[in-house]
Amino acid sequence: MKKSMDEWLREGLTDREYQVPHSYEKKLEQTIKEIENRKVIHRAGRFSRFAVNKAAGAVLIVFLLSAVSISSYAAVNLFRDRMSSMSETEKQNYNSDIQNCKVDEDVLSRELTLEEREQIAVLREQYENEGKFPQKEIRQIKTNEGTVADELYFVADESKFYLPERAMTEEEMLELIDLQEKRDYSVQQQNPAGISEEQKGQSAGEPDAGLEQLSVETVAKLYELAEPELEVVSNNVEDLCYEVAEKEGGSYFVYYSAEHAIERVVYKKKGVSAHQSGVRSESLHIKKISKKMRRRVERFTGKEIDSQSCYSMLKDSGELEYGTVSFYYQMTDGSGCVAVYSAVYGDLYDIYGLDDAKAVRQQIREKEQLSGKTGVRYREIK
């Protein structure tokens, strides 16, 4: 008799820590390296006003080490998705502001306190590696027309952040980080000549025509689309990733292992982030969504499902923190699969398989532990 997911999870919570597969560790190392390399091309002095002491540096190391897990491998897409969801106009405007500014680095209206520096250091890692984003964007002003009392805002012509005299709130710090990251990303995207081949994530190798065709077939089967409506528009040979685009729609990123087995598929709607707060859990038709996700998982894995469960980061108000629901599956052969549903997309956003279903238990356990530190709860949705 098959065990229910609840029974399976309860047993799993007492298991020893699951060893992350080497392929995922390698991808995480590459991801962290990308983040580090990205900061290399920031304007001179970009972090000079945000230097942290040794204690804060130790905190950063702890967060980087804790990021090397299956859940972080999934969460890093939140950061990439937020950056890539910016429109071309938005990126062009940010880049133009930076290139036309006479100041060589971002400046602050006052010095940060030690507590603010340390908290910003931690929040930046959570922003990049855990998808912790602000609820709204920072107020931006083209030219300084006068002081805005006790409020955080940014003046583009001065490249200056005006901070409130009081201690900044966590939301304000995240707004500051958010703008910095978007401006830096825009400079990279609008000035590709200044980025190294490694940072572009390209290699001298040639794309595989067989993998291109397989990518199209996979997306068509997974999302129930017609193959003629799809085409491969770009590839990252080094990371074995092929972008398949609908002629009138979004893009699907298909990732392969070194053995050319499909590891993951990520869907992105043009100009729309998959992660948006404000969606209430009770407004979701979970049973209907569950059937769709189950169908997607069976097509992706080609295996029979043994049990499933779904979880989401929930605020006390019942709102989804990131606007997504994660569906966890144990397959009959002992492997696992994770399918992430985006409420904004109304469909599967991210799907990847796991060699051992124990990794599913670890992922749930890690997120439950993380939620206790961030003020939201990682709860099962039924």
Side-chain angles (χ1 to χ4, degrees):
M1 184 176 180
K2 295 180 180 179
K3 296 180 182 179
S4 69
M5 180 61 108
D6 288 341
E7 293 174 324
W8 176 67
L9 285 173
R10 279 198 296 272
E11 291 180 2
L13 289 176
T14 60
D15 285 354
R16 63 177 174 80
E17 198 74 2
Y18 177 75
Q19 184 64 39
V20 178
H22 177 70
S23 62
Y24 285 100
E25 288 184 344
K26 185 176 180 180
K27 283 185 177 295
L28 273 166
E29 290 174 0
Q30 292 174 345
T31 298
I32 292 173
K33 189 173 183 180
E34 284 178 16
I35 294 173
E36 291 174 343
N37 286 339
R38 186 180 64 253
K39 291 177 181 176
V40 172
I41 68 167
H42 287 174
R43 290 175 294 149
R46 157 71 169 75
F47 293 98
S48 63
R49 300 298 289 261
F50 295 90
V52 296
N53 62 13
K54 292 182 179 179
V59 172
L60 288 180
I61 293 173
V62 170
F63 271 86
L64 282 174
L65 290 176
S66 67
V68 183
S69 63
I70 293 292
S71 58
S72 296
Y73 175 54
V76 75
N77 283 284
L78 279 75
F79 173 81
R80 289 180 173 178
D81 179 63
R82 189 174 182 85
M83 296 298 105
S84 61
S85 66
M86 284 192 291
S87 67
E88 282 301 313
T89 299
E90 188 176 5
K91 288 184 286 189
Q92 289 170 4
N93 289 340
Y94 281 141
N95 180 61
S96 177
D97 286 342
I98 291 171
Q99 302 306 327
N100 295 328
C101 185
K102 297 179 180 179
V103 182
D104 292 331
E105 63 179 31
D106 292 342
V107 293
L108 305 177
S109 62
R110 66 167 173 81
E111 291 290 338
L112 294 172
T113 65
L114 176 61
E115 290 76 11
E116 287 174 329
R117 292 185 183 210
E118 293 181 350
Q119 190 173 359
I120 285 175
V122 172
L123 286 174
R124 190 179 297 280
E125 293 305 319
Q126 291 179 322
Y127 180 99
E128 294 179 341
N129 297 317
E130 299 171 13
K132 187 179 181 67
F133 303 132
Q135 294 299 309
K136 60 183 182 66
E137 294 187 342
I138 190 174
R139 178 178 180 180
Q140 299 181 55
I141 301 173
K142 187 68 176 176
T143 57
N144 196 358
E145 300 173 349
T147 303
V148 180
D150 203 36
E151 182 180 337
L152 173 68
Y153 64 99
F154 179 78
V155 177
D157 285 353
E158 301 175 358
S159 193
K160 186 172 183 178
F161 289 90
Y162 283 83
L163 313 183
E165 289 304 313
R166 55 173 171 76
M168 284 194 292
T169 64
E170 180 178 282
E171 167 65 20
E172 288 171 332
M173 294 179 192
L174 284 171
E175 290 175 16
L176 184 151
I177 293 169
D178 186 52
L179 181 58
Q180 287 180 328
E181 295 291 349
K182 287 179 177 178
R183 281 161 58 89
D184 291 337
Y185 178 83
S186 298
V187 170
Q188 295 171 7
Q189 294 298 305
Q190 298 296 311
N191 301 277
I195 305 177
S196 68
E197 287 302 308
E198 183 179 17
Q199 289 167 329
K200 290 178 183 177
Q202 300 293 331
S203 71
E206 293 295 326
D208 189 307
L211 292 184
E212 289 186 341
Q213 179 58 35
L214 179 58
S215 298
V216 171
E217 293 173 355
T218 298
V219 171
K221 181 179 179 180
L222 186 60
Y223 286 89
E224 303 171 65
L225 301 171
E227 288 188 29
E229 298 300 315
L230 302 170
E231 61 179 339
V232 175
V233 296
S234 69
N235 62 76
N236 185 320
V237 179
E238 183 178 347
D239 287 345
L240 288 175
C241 174
Y242 290 79
E243 180 185 358
V244 179
E246 292 181 76
K247 291 182 178 179
E248 304 251 344
S251 293
Y252 305 82
F253 297 83
V254 184
Y255 294 85
Y256 292 87
S257 67
E259 294 75 29
H260 291 181
I262 296 175
E263 287 189 332
R264 183 178 202 145
V265 178
V266 179
Y267 171 42
K268 293 182 181 179
K269 277 192 175 181
K270 187 176 181 180
V272 181
S273 172
H275 307 278
Q276 294 184 20
S277 60
V279 179
R280 299 189 65 83
S281 58
E282 59 265 27
S283 68
L284 299 174
H285 301 287
I286 289 297
K287 289 186 178 180
K288 184 177 180 180
I289 295 171
S290 179
K291 288 182 180 179
K292 177 186 281 190
M293 293 301 100
R294 190 180 185 91
R295 189 166 65 248
R296 299 276 196 259
V297 168
E298 288 174 339
R299 290 177 177 175
F300 178 75
T301 63
K303 301 175 182 178
E304 183 182 351
I305 296 172
D306 184 11
S307 55
Q308 73 172 56
S309 187
C310 62
Y311 286 73
S312 183
M313 288 285 188
L314 294 175
K315 301 178 182 178
D316 290 338
S317 63
E319 291 184 358
L320 276 61
E321 175 75 356
Y322 302 123
T324 57
V325 178
S326 296
F327 289 80
Y328 297 97
Y329 297 87
Q330 179 184 20
M331 316 309 289
T332 54
D333 67 349
S335 63
C337 185
V338 180
V340 183
Y341 173 85
S342 166
V344 177
Y345 288 2
D347 208 336
L348 175 68
Y349 155 63
D350 186 7
I351 186 169
Y352 53 96
L354 300 170
D355 294 335
D356 194 321
K358 288 182 180 180
V360 172
R361 301 168 186 161
Q362 179 182 338
Q363 187 171 135
I364 294 173
R365 182 165 55 240
E366 287 178 350
K367 290 190 176 182
E368 287 177 333
Q369 294 171 347
L370 175 65
S371 68
K373 302 175 182 178
T374 59
V376 294
R377 293 176 293 169
Y378 198 57
R379 293 167 46 192
E380 184 175 8
I381 300 178
K382 296 182 178 180

